Amino acid sequence: MIRRINWYPPFLGMGIKVVDWSPEYTRFDVELREKWYTRNLFGTHFGGSLYTMTDPFYVFIVTLNLGRDYIVWDKSAQIEFLKPAKGIVRAVFEIPSKRLDRMRAEVNETGKQHYVFETDLRDPDDVVVARVRKTVYVRRKRRD
């Protein structure tokens, strides 16, 4: 399933690729390659491409680890562009297993929660070019 995400049309068209992931699906390493057709007016990465490379991964991690008894949605997102981005941009999305265990316990106790995650996008010189903050909504499914 994870390998197929690289064939997702927006990722494929923008040069976004999952290059590595942990076997327990708690970490995804993603890169955005510069393409002539995804550059903006100034010759740098289009901001929409930078955001798109970050979109699904925290929801993936939570969903794949908590399982089918939970509803998981992106609630909100914010991206801060810090520097023009060129070349290969990389991002790591990770939620440690212990935090996922705490999240499961909290949601089981309260019924629903919101969680905030932050990721830096880095250029080939390891300089942070953008920072993304995602709020993820998690709710225990109601049993009929």
Side-chain angles (χ1 to χ4, degrees):
M1 179 202 61
I2 298 303
R3 291 184 201 279
R4 285 187 281 167
I5 194 166
N6 290 330
W7 293 97
Y8 178 53
F11 280 14
L12 189 61
M14 289 186 208
I16 298 167
K17 186 174 185 181
V18 175
V19 294
D20 197 19
W21 63 89
S22 66
E24 55 283 332
Y25 304 120
T26 57
R27 176 187 169 109
F28 288 89
D29 295 11
V30 180
E31 70 180 26
L32 168 63
R33 293 187 172 271
E34 191 173 331
K35 305 285 186 183
W36 66 268
Y37 52 85
T38 61
R39 282 184 244 147
N40 63 21
L41 181 64
F42 307 104
T44 60
H45 280 290
F46 172 62
S49 298
L50 291 167
Y51 175 75
T52 299
M53 78 179 285
T54 72
D55 187 38
F57 294 102
Y58 285 118
V59 167
F60 279 1
I61 292 169
V62 175
T63 300
L64 291 169
N65 281 275
L66 296 190
R68 296 181 184 262
D69 292 334
Y70 300 85
I71 295 170
V72 183
W73 287 99
D74 274 323
K75 179 75 173 178
S76 66
Q78 176 186 358
I79 186 165
E80 181 181 7
F81 300 106
L82 303 171
K83 181 180 181 226
K86 289 188 155 224
I88 298 173
V89 175
R90 291 187 167 84
V92 175
F93 305 91
E94 184 170 23
I95 306 174
S97 294
K98 287 183 180 184
R99 182 163 186 203
L100 288 160
D101 291 342
R102 283 194 314 271
M103 290 169 60
R104 179 182 286 110
E106 290 169 1
V107 172
N108 286 344
E109 183 178 322
T110 63
K112 63 182 177 181
Q113 287 290 330
H114 293 91
Y115 296 95
V116 177
F117 304 99
E118 196 170 278
T119 298
D120 290 338
L121 283 61
R122 297 178 177 274
D123 71 7
D125 296 324
D126 205 35
V127 173
V128 177
V129 295
R131 183 164 289 128
V132 173
R133 171 177 275 212
K134 304 278 296 217
T135 301
V136 175
Y137 168 83
V138 183
R139 178 171 69 79
R140 182 109 170 123
K141 284 184 180 174
R142 292 182 181 94
R143 296 183 189 242
D144 296 332

